[in-house]
Structures are given as C-alpha cells and as structure tokens.
C-alpha cells in the first residue's frame, strides 16, 4: 500500500500513530542536523522531519531529494515544536523512519509556486506541471464542484441527463463547423455540434419533458483571446413552459450554484431589463450593473451651440464619473488616447469637469458657456466634484464605444469587484439582426427562436422590429447563458427559414427532420444554455476562461503540449478519399 | 401556465381540486355519451372524462382528437367509478371543463405502444417517436440514473471530474481515429479521442490524484451489430495505487450502482479469475459464470483410440449439458449445424449421451467402447442423464468455438437469466499479443500498461509470456470495464514502445509529451474505464446497447434520422484545403 493517509489529513489527534505517506517534494530545508521536507499532494502539505541524531544515512538521503521528486515515507506522527497555523496539518510532523524514492524529477522548467516564472507558452507546453500550482488546481476543483452541483440541482427538479451525438450533420447557418470525413461513407462528412440544439428539441418532441446535458460544443472560428474551439455548455430544455417558467427554474439553479460552491446568497429575485433598455442605458446586452454610470442622452443640451462634431452626430452620450473632477490633464489625455485605440474606435472624447466650487471646465469651453455646461450636468445628473465624459457619432457605434469607456472607468475606479456578483436577466431580444455583409437578416439567437406573438405581424412589414421570446443571463458584464422559447409549429418554422433566406429545398434538406417532427405532436418548449467555462471563471472572480480548462488550446487553436493538430499519414488520407490541395 | 400538475401525480387526495394538465393523447374511448381520453406525459397517464350531458360541444371536440395530439385541459379532479389498479393515477379522473389543442399530430408511422409495428430502420428514422415508448424511455431513465449515481459515488471518494480535450492528435496505434481537418492550420488534422488515456495519465502527473470523467470516445471501425462509432466511457485514474486498490474502489462503485439503480445486492467480494484460468475453463476472457458447463480437457481419454480427428487435434474439449441425454437426433443435428456456421467455424461436433440407465450413446461409437465413454464421463464429471458435447482442433480455435457453443447451450437451457448478475474480475492478462498480420507484438490492453515486475525479464526472452497488471470486470459474458496499472517510468515506457515496433523517433513524435512528463515527477498510477452503454444495457438485462443510446447510428455509421454524414459545400472543402479524390 502506497499510503495510509493523504498529505492533508493528519492532525494532533494522530500523534503517536505510524503512517505511510506518498507525494511530491515541495521544498527541503536544512537546520543544523535536521532536515525538513514539505511533502505535497492534492489534499495538502505535511512536514517530514529527518535528523542525523536518529539516522544519519536517512537524513543524508533526504538532503539529496530534489524538488518535485515523488517519494513514499513511513514514520511516526509527532507534535511540532513550532506550529504553522497557516495550514491544517501545521501542528504535526512525521518523524521519518523509511524513505523510498518512487520517481526522481528533473528541475521543472518553471517554479511550481503561486508566483511562477513561467510565461504563457511555457506553462501551456508543460500544462501538467502548471496544474500542480495550487491556484490552478483550485480552479479545477471549483469547476468539478459547479458541474456536480448543477447535476444535483437539475436532477432534483426532474431534469434527465440525455447524451446527444457528437457526429452530426453540418449546417450552413451560424458559425463554421468542424467537419469529420467519413471513411465508411466516402466523400461525406459528419460535423461536430456547435450545440445540441435540434437534438434537444427532438427530445422535447419525444416527451422527455426536461432535458439537460453538460456537453462539449465546437466552433471553428478565428479565435479571440478568450475563445476556445471546444467549449462546454450546460444545455437545458423544458416542455410546456413559458419564458417565466424557464427564468424561474434557472434563477434557482444559479442561486443554488453560488450558495453551494461560493457561499454567496442573492437577495430577492434577479433584476430584469429589456434588451432595448440595456442598449440605451449601457450600450451592451450584458451590462455590468455592479456600478452605475448609466448613459445619458445629451443631444438636446449639446446640439445647436456651434460645435459641429456634436451637431452632426446622431447621438451625443455622456457618463458621469463620480468625484473625478480632480483628474489631471495627463489622466484625461490618457483616457482620450484609450478611446481612440482601434479596439474602441472613437474619434475623440469630450470631457467636462464639474469642479467642487461649482464651476465647469470642459475641453469645449470655446463652444459652451458655464450655463450650457450646467445644462449638461443637469441632464446627466452630475454633482460638483464629478467628471462628465462625452462621446458622439453614429448611435450604434457611440453606444458600443461608450460601453467600452464605461467598463474601463469602472476598472480604473475599482468599481468592478470580482467577488461581488450582480446577475441581470436581459429579455426581449430582437428576433433578427441585419447582416450588412450578406445583405439579409439572420437570427440573433438561432433560427428556432419564437417571435413574440404580438410581433408576428411585423415579420412582413418591419422584421427588424420583431422581438423574440429570448433571454440572456448577464453577470458582471459577462453573458453567462442565454436561451429562448422555441417555435413548435411547422408553418411558423418554415416562415422563419424563408425570412432567413433559405429556399424551401434548403430548409427541407437541412432541417426537414425537425420540421417533420413538428407534425407528430410537438409540445410548446424552450430552453437555455450556460457556458460552463465562462460561468466557472466568473464564479472564480476571473475574466479569463483559460485557466479553468484543464488542457486549453492557444489562439491558433493548437494544443502545444501534445502538438496538435498535426499531419497524418498518406495512407490515412487515402482511406478517407481525401487529398490535400497544395 | 401550461400545467399545474404532470400526468403522473394526481391521487385520491387531490379530488375536488381544479387542475391544468398538458400532454399527449394516448387513446380515446367512447362509451355512450361519455368520452375518455388517456393523457400521457413522461410521468404517467391521467384519464380525462368528457360528457355530452355536461357539455356536448366539448365532448364532440374530444372525440375528434387524434392519437399523439398535444393538448392542454382544465378541469376538476374526481374519483373514478371503476378504478384502474395498474397505474398510480388510476383512482381519479379529470372532469374536463376546457380543452385546448396545442399541436395537432399526423398519424405516427408506427404505433407508439410497447409492441410496436415499426421495423428497425423506421424506428431509427423517427427515433423521436420511438423514444415515446415507455420501454425505451425507461432505458434512458436508467442511463440517467446510472450516470448520476456514478458521479455521486466517485465524488464521495474524492474523485475529481476533469474534462479532457476532444480535439487531440492522431496516433497510429490501435483502432482507426476519426480525424478533423484544421482550417487554421491547413494540411493538419486533429483526431477525436479513442479514450482520454494519455490525458488522464498527465493528470496523475499533475497530482489530481483521483480523476474521473464520463466521456465520449470515438473509433472509426467497421461496425459490428453492437458497436457504435461514438460511445461513452466512465473513465477513471488513481495515483499511488496498486491493482488491489483499484479493484476494491470499483467493486464498491459497481455495488453502489446495482444497489441504487436496480436494488440488487451482491454477497461478499466479486470472485476473481486469472486470464489463463478463464481461457482454460471458459475459452473467454469474459466468462458468463451464471452457469457452470466448464471446459474439460479430454485429450487423455479420447486420443489413441483410432479416431483420427481427435488423435490429430491439439486439444479435445468437452462440456456437459445436464439432463440433456434426452436430446433427439434432430436437436443434436441442429447443434452440429450451429457449430459449423461460419461465425463459429467448427468442422464438426461429437456428442455422447450418458443415458439414465447408465449406457452411453455417442456419435463415435465405432471408435469408443462403453468403457472408453465411461472414462469421458469421469473426466468431464457427467452424470447419468447428461449430454457431453466435444469439439477438437487447434487449441485457441477450439476454445473459442467451445465458448460459443457453451453460451449457446446456456441460452437454450435458460441458464442465462438477464436479471441475475454475476460479476467476475479477470486478472493477469498477457501484456502482449502476437499480431499475425503485421508479424509483431501489439499491446493487449494499450502501450502504457505495466508488466508485472516479476515478468519484466521475460520481455527479452519470451515476450508473449509476460503478464500485465491488467484486469477486466466481466459480467454475464460481457466485458463491463477494464484497466491496468500504468508504466510511470520513462525508461520502461521507452522499452515498451521498442517492443511494439516503434522507432525512437516515432515514439518521441507520438508520445514524447508523455515520456517527458514522466521525467518531472510521475507518481505510480493506474485506472479503469467502463463502457457506459454496455454497463447500462447489462444492468437493464439487455444484450443490445442501441436502445440505451438516445440517438444511435446504424451499422454503416449513419444517423438516418438527420441523414448524416452528408456532403459539404465546395467552399467548405476549399477553406480546409482539401479535395475529394474521385
């Protein structure tokens, strides 16, 4: 037997017992004739003590142990003379009587400590060593816990875990599919699912009633810093429900997860906001409501005063940074520079300090009197001591830029505490959005989302105005999940495909199985999916999902640890009936 | 709100309440002025009552409901005059006051009853309708329960659920990989994992200590009736363990699953048998020990009596079918015909009846006296009234043929009760098996399996004799799971690859990341994987896994419901830099 206990469980009450432990050498320290070794495993650290007085040979052997050696020891639990209150095992140590080296270790390419000297690429190449760091291990622990608590909660309210296939059919709608050539059906391809959307809807037609799955999904997209080609969803669907039923069910789930995994309790119901309001007040469909700084429309108070940039703008927006009138010229210049970065894309920024003494100082004093600026302050709710920041231009663009600026100010002013959690249901999303590139509408959520009944008539006259029974759960400026009530009527589904530019043949070829299913008794149904990577990262107080994934890929979609993707044998290609084009 | 209750929960205590139900029309019956509708959902069936006396219009509407219509009703719970004791809701019915048709339904292509008239292909095409049948739904329920109880058990003994990647690297070893062309890395491919083997070993190097995952795996093999290109594994790995620790842990898991999901308790420890014994006694590494009929070596008592076929055979094997001396000539001919089928491949079969009166009647009486046959009976343990069946030939082949015959006799004699469960650990598997086609050894389990320490020396002299620290859990003639203690030493791993015919370069290219990892402090470790599809099917008392998979593929690897795989656009191929060869 390799061990009687793990490295995290021995206490004062174990003193006097003979134990066997196994683990990794975290550190060795020599003190006079003594040697102390911190032995580490997933569960904790236990101190081992060797003494030349007791056994010089063994002590010398211990002194030769390198970092990350894997060892087994046998010995007696004794009380420590100088206790370490910082760790649960800190009151005891092991007087070692036998030491076996199970595996030696080369010096790791970076230090396995909280503050590591490993860069991103090096840490990814040796991910198995990076995972030894306590902070990363804790992230995987949290993920494990969140996944299990999700299952327990959903099981308690009758959801069934049903596995859907990973080898499915490619669809032209939405993001790019990864495809899998079929050897048995030469010239044909499977696709990896971007989500099990159609399958979960079919399960509703089957009468499964409440379905869930924690499932891998795949998107062959050009990767931004925080996207992965494969990601994990908590995927759910329910029958005989309206939007209200779904929001209630999953609000309870999120509350359960935060309580059980983070000991965070939310007071009362999660607030709700329409998409239209969210865009108007925050320029985002996932507003961070940990802080205020709502957008104020300043068109009326800024236009027709001779400042051409504002006069020609479709929208002039202001936000108020409280107590920031003290900002220096240098700080304001830096802000202006920040909004002009290509990632934000503003042409400039106007500021107006509402000084503590009641006077105003703006970057456009040439055009605006003190009274004019007082009107800005009134319109935006600024108080003496505050700073107003103003952007202008095309409405959609200026809202997006102001969203960036608002979040940036939130960061600068420390208003985005990662351990404060502010959920928000965003509802009434538009059904369609205009696709400039292809000169047609596409589905904002997906083609199976139902329009609001009262808006169906608008489909013919003003499709962009049609609202969907679609909703997102936002938290801290991040989208945790989203879903919709689905169409369950064949006629309406066919109409939707038509509006999305499908011919009848294309719709039938791609989604005929679903529309056929709607003719055999499909119940009203709807669902939601949460991004598990993102949910866990948010719960962990982090912006980045990568550390919450055991083996992530880099921005080129490569796993640099195993060096994938890679070339394959000619023979393999031949069996698939494929040829690589030069 | 679509419903206040589901269709399985109303009882006598609900009488007098107004309720809203939604579901599917299972059946309508007219009796005089009354109409009764069985309303079905996942939870059960509730009887609805309509009466012309109360509301003729509503009653007429009810009479027009077709099978599988989706409806919502409002009404009052009343006590039934004639109670149905077969269903939990059988004491009440709903006096309906309002009826809304939520979705009409075409006549299903097969009847949605336990005895369906749908053939396999039709049922797969309309799988979403087949899933409405109670027996199939129950199978998915069982799967859901087994998966959740697996997680609960493993969590209770400190296993962590860690997700490993699905887009990995192709390896030439073992079965064929499905590959996924990479668009961002043109000319390169990911592979879908046949198992997360190397990743779980790396997690052990990371110190995760106890890992599990219920994970999809993929094999591009020519499909036999009961194989699927994608299948699900309960995949587990542990550090600082010996074989004994793993067998104990997972024996407890299997006991937990049978207790919690089937209310079956096993007495005492699971029996164990070496691979060598299993092959000798049953000709199988997964013997069905629900019945005896062990193989008896009859070489000594059958050879040198002038019967050339036996004299020239490497092995003469007998089994005893109890109380079968009464078999007719016709039955015996049928058995002979059965063993000669190409799937079994025997050239013939010898029988010997040990009649109740103590005489013998065999198909080789010409060569064997009554005393000779008495010696057969003594050697095989036959009693008066029994039937001896004898096969002969090349040892490996005859064992395999006899295994088939034994299982066939078990079926014929009703000795294989699907609701009796007999687990068996098969241990001490050979490390290597000779691959006739490629004229080299390959790993019986996989290349990471450790040889028994006492057999390592044999690697150089007699590799086929080396036993591995490898084990399978067999049950009822089926392999539920298997695993091994792994190699955790770089040198030994390199040696293994050499024995498997890898050059150093190939080994480094394919598995360098793992061998490198072994140099940074790899703990001793081992693991096991259970086939979830097979486990659940066995627990459900079924031979076939297909009904336990929500959306299975057919024998050509096709999903005939969604019609996948399918051709993809030229543009998609072009983006991937691929061309289909004519």
């Amino acid at each position: 037997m390799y061990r009687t206990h793990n490295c995290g469980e021995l206490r004062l009450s174990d003193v006097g017992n003979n134990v066997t432990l196994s683990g990794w050498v975290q550190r060795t320290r020599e003190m006079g004739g003594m040697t102390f070794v911190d032995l580490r495993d997933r569960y904790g650290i236990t101190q081992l003590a060797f003494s030349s007085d007791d056994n010089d040979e063994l002590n010398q052997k211990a002194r030769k142990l390198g970092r990350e050696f894997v060892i087994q020891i046998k010995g007696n639990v004794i009380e420590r003379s100088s206790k370490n209150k910082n760790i649960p095992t800190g009151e005891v140590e092991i007087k070692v009587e036998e030491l076996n080296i199970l595996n030696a270790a080369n010096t790791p390419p970076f230090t396995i400590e909280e503050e590591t000297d490993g860069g991103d690429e090096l840490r990814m190449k040796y991910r198995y060593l990076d995972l030894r760091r306590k902070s990363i291990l804790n992230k995987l622990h949290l993920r494990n816990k969140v996944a299990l608590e999700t299952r327990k909660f959903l099981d308690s309210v009758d959801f069934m875990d049903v596995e859907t296939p990973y080898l499915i059919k490619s669809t032209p709608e939405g993001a790019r599919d990864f495809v899998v050539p079929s050897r048995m059906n030469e010239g044909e391809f499977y696709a990896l699912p971007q989500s099990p959307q159609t399958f979960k809807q079919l399960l509703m037609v089957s009468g499964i009633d409440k379905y869930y799955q924690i499932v891998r999904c795949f998107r062959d997209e050009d990767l931004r810093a925080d996207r992965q080609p494969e990601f994990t969803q908590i995927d759910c669907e329910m029958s005989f429900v309206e939007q209200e039923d779904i929001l209630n069910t999953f609000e309870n789930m999120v509350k359960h997860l935060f309580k059980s995994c983070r000991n965070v309790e939310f007071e009362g119901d999660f607030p709700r906001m329409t998409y239209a309001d969210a865009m108007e007040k925050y320029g985002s469909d996932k507003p961070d409501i940990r802080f205020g700084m709502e957008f104020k429309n300043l068109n009326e108070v800024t236009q027709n005063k001779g400042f051409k940039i504002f006069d020609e703008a479709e929208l002039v927006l202001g936000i108020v940074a409280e107590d920031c009138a003290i900002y220096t010229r240098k700080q304001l210049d830096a802000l202006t520079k920040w909004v002009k970065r290509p990632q934000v894309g503003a042409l400039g920024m106007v500021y107006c300090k509402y000084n503590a003494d009641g006077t105003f100082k703006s970057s456009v004093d040439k055009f605006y009197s003190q009274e004019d600026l007082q009107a800005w302050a009134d319109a935006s709710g600024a108080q003496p001591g505050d700073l107003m920041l103003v952007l202008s231009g095309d409405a959609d663009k200026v809202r997006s830029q102001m969203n960036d600026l608002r979040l940036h100010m939130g960061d600068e002013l420390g208003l985005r505490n990662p351990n404060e959690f502010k959920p928000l249901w965003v509802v009434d999303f538009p059904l369609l959005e205009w696709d400039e590139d292809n000169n047609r509408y596409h589905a904002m959520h997906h083609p199976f989302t139902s329009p609001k009944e009262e808006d169906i008539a608008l489909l013919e006259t003003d499709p962009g105005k049609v609202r969907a029974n679609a909703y997102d759960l936002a938290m801290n400026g991040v989208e945790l999940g989203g879903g919709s009530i689905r169409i369950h009527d064949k006629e309406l589904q066919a109409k939707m495909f038509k509006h999305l530019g499908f011919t009848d043949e294309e719709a039938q070829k791609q989604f005929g199985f679903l529309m056929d299913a709607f003719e055999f008794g499909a119940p009203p149904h709807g669902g939601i999916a949460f991004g598990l990577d993102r949910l866990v990262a948010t719960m962990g107080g982090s912006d980045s999902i990568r550390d919450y994934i055991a083996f992530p890929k880099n921005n080129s979609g490569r796993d640099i640890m195993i060096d994938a993707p890679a070339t394959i044998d000619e023979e393999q290609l031949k069996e698939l009936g494929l040829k690589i084009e030069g």
Side-chain angles (χ1 to χ4, degrees), chain A:
Chain A
M1 208 202 289
Y2 278 106
R3 60 186 173 194
T4 55
H5 297 76
N6 66 47
C7 296
E9 60 179 321
L10 293 173
R11 299 286 183 275
L12 264 187
S13 57
D14 296 296
V15 165
N17 291 338
N18 289 315
V19 299
T20 306
L21 299 183
S22 290
W24 284 262
V25 172
Q26 175 78 14
R27 196 181 294 124
T28 57
R29 290 185 311 284
E30 299 177 16
M31 290 178 68
M34 299 283 292
T35 307
F36 297 100
V37 173
D38 282 350
L39 188 68
R40 186 196 72 226
D41 67 11
R42 183 185 121 192
Y43 310 94
I45 285 181
T46 299
Q47 180 164 296
L48 313 178
F50 300 79
S51 154
S52 278
D53 291 347
D54 292 330
N55 185 334
D56 188 53
E57 194 185 338
L58 200 63
N59 192 23
Q60 295 310 322
K61 191 172 172 188
R63 290 186 173 195
K64 288 197 197 103
L65 291 173
R67 280 189 173 225
E68 302 303 320
F69 271 45
V70 184
I71 63 172
Q72 181 198 46
I73 61 95
K74 295 178 187 194
N76 195 265
V77 184
I78 59 173
E79 187 171 352
R80 264 160 87 162
S81 47
S82 70
K83 299 195 170 52
N84 179 350
K85 297 286 182 197
N86 297 323
I87 58 172
T89 60
E91 299 194 291
V92 299
E93 64 188 16
I94 315 296
K95 194 176 153 184
V96 178
E97 284 148 14
E98 187 182 324
L99 164 62
N100 302 309
I101 296 174
L102 300 176
N103 219 341
N106 289 344
T107 306
F110 51 87
T111 56
I112 297 174
E113 302 277 1
E114 272 335 277
E115 295 301 318
T116 180
D117 52 358
D120 268 6
E121 287 278 304
L122 197 63
R123 286 172 48 214
M124 280 182 84
K125 173 157 187 196
Y126 297 97
R127 180 67 174 167
Y128 49 88
L129 296 180
D130 202 28
L131 290 175
R132 285 186 191 166
R133 290 168 58 223
K134 181 94 179 144
S135 59
I136 309 280
L137 176 63
N138 285 346
K139 291 178 172 67
L140 294 191
H141 264 298
L142 178 63
R143 186 184 182 110
N144 166 59
K145 176 103 173 133
V146 169
L148 190 64
E149 290 297 335
T150 297
R151 294 176 190 282
K152 284 185 187 168
F153 174 84
L154 291 173
D155 182 68
S156 76
V157 290
D158 284 336
F159 280 77
M160 269 176 76
D161 179 5
V162 181
E163 293 179 66
T164 54
Y166 280 129
L167 296 173
I168 66 165
K169 189 158 79 167
S170 190
T171 60
E173 186 71 359
R176 236 184 246 102
D177 287 322
F178 282 106
V179 296
V180 182
S182 166
R183 184 180 51 86
M184 290 181 74
N185 305 275
E186 222 178 276
E188 298 188 324
F189 294 74
Y190 302 99
L192 299 177
Q194 297 185 28
S195 93
Q197 183 61 35
T198 50
F199 289 97
K200 69 177 175 175
Q201 292 191 239
L202 290 174
L203 288 173
M204 295 303 102
V205 178
S206 295
I208 293 298
D209 203 76
K210 291 178 182 165
Y211 144 93
Y212 84 97
Q213 193 182 187
I214 299 185
V215 64
R216 204 71 55 85
C217 302
F218 304 85
R219 267 179 216 169
D220 185 14
E221 283 180 339
D222 298 316
L223 302 172
R224 283 184 270 142
D226 211 24
R227 287 255 183 135
Q228 290 280 318
E230 47 179 315
F231 54 98
T232 304
Q233 259 180 214
I234 303 170
D235 192 51
C236 306
E237 197 80 3
M238 303 170 80
S239 289
F240 301 115
V241 290
E242 288 157 350
Q243 175 169 313
E244 197 60 30
D245 302 299
I246 295 186
L247 299 197
N248 286 336
T249 302
F250 291 96
E251 186 162 321
N252 286 336
M253 183 184 90
V254 171
K255 284 177 174 174
H256 172 81
L257 293 179
F258 273 86
K259 177 77 185 103
S260 57
C261 303
R262 285 291 321 251
N263 201 25
V264 168
E265 290 196 64
F266 295 100
E267 276 173 41
D269 295 337
F270 290 0
R272 297 183 188 184
M273 190 181 289
T274 63
Y275 172 87
D277 279 354
M279 294 311 289
E280 195 180 315
K281 288 184 188 163
Y282 300 100
S284 165
D285 59 2
K286 42 179 189 282
D288 184 348
I289 57 167
R290 281 175 296 185
F291 64 107
M293 229 185 265
E294 283 181 20
F295 297 0
K296 302 295 174 181
N297 184 321
L298 302 182
N299 280 22
E300 206 163 305
V301 294
T302 58
Q303 291 183 330
N304 302 317
K305 299 286 177 179
F307 183 47
K308 205 173 150 197
I309 290 175
F310 283 179
D311 289 350
E312 289 175 356
E314 186 184 359
L315 180 61
V316 183
L317 274 187
I319 56 173
V320 175
E322 283 180 33
D323 301 324
C324 291
I326 51 170
Y327 262 39
T328 61
R329 180 62 191 251
K330 202 172 151 192
Q331 283 175 296
L332 291 164
D333 284 350
L335 273 186
T336 304
K337 203 170 156 196
W338 192 89
V339 298
K340 287 166 121 174
R341 297 182 323 148
Q343 297 95 318
V344 183
L347 293 171
M349 183 190 80
V350 165
Y351 69 82
C352 175
K353 294 177 176 186
Y354 190 170
N355 294 316
D357 64 6
T359 62
F360 293 92
K361 174 76 194 85
S362 84
S363 55
V364 286
D365 282 352
K366 207 165 23 158
F367 301 98
Y368 297 91
S369 68
Q370 291 284 307
E371 273 141 43
D372 292 336
L373 297 174
Q374 181 66 55
W376 290 23
D378 294 344
S380 60
Q383 300 294 319
D386 292 349
L387 172 69
M388 289 176 271
L389 302 175
V390 184
L391 299 177
S392 66
D394 174 68
D396 285 349
K397 276 190 193 148
V398 76
R399 283 201 186 95
S400 156
Q401 291 158 2
M402 191 57 108
N403 171 47
D404 288 342
L405 178 58
R406 174 179 174 270
L407 295 176
H408 180 68
M409 289 306 296
D411 284 332
E412 279 216 344
L413 300 174
L415 302 173
R416 306 184 73 194
N417 174 2
N419 288 308
E420 187 189 354
F421 302 99
K422 290 282 186 189
L424 175 72
W425 285 112
V426 179
V427 298
D428 296 356
F429 272 77
L431 183 69
L432 304 167
E433 61 186 349
W434 185 251
D435 178 348
E436 293 281 353
D437 296 342
N438 297 301
N439 211 34
R440 67 174 181 92
Y441 281 106
H442 71 244
M444 192 148 185
H445 188 51
H446 54 50
F448 314 108
T449 297
S450 76
K452 285 196 182 285
E453 206 163 335
E454 61 268 35
D455 290 1
I456 288 183
L458 286 172
L459 265 177
E460 307 302 333
T461 54
D462 193 355
K465 279 270 187 317
V466 177
R467 290 167 307 158
N469 289 313
Y471 33 80
D472 274 2
L473 181 62
M475 187 181 282
N476 295 7
V478 157
E479 180 201 325
L480 294 187
S484 64
I485 299 296
R486 326 299 184 188
I487 296 167
H488 64 278
D489 175 77
K490 183 172 179 167
E491 297 310 314
L492 184 56
Q493 186 65 68
K495 196 183 215 175
M496 265 303 288
F497 284 128
K498 199 164 289 172
H499 277 285
L500 296 171
F502 282 75
T503 65
D504 284 352
E505 291 71 37
E506 284 166 349
Q508 187 59 36
K509 184 172 174 236
Q510 288 298 329
F511 298 110
F513 62 95
L514 185 66
M515 292 199 288
D516 288 350
F518 286 171
E519 294 202 299
F520 290 108
H525 61 286
I528 196 165
F530 292 85
L532 180 64
D533 311 298
R534 173 83 45 219
L535 172 65
V536 178
T538 301
M539 290 178 76
S542 171
D543 283 338
S544 164
I545 62 172
R546 201 179 278 180
D547 277 346
Y548 291 82
I549 296 171
F551 298 103
K553 293 190 173 54
N554 75 5
N555 288 350
S556 321
R558 294 197 74 83
D559 182 326
I560 56 181
M561 181 183 72
I562 63 169
D563 193 23
T567 53
I568 59 175
D569 292 349
E570 268 309 313
E571 201 182 326
Q572 239 173 320
L573 275 174
K574 209 168 159 185
E575 277 195 323
L576 296 168
L578 289 178
K579 203 178 155 181
I580 294 174
E581 292 253 270

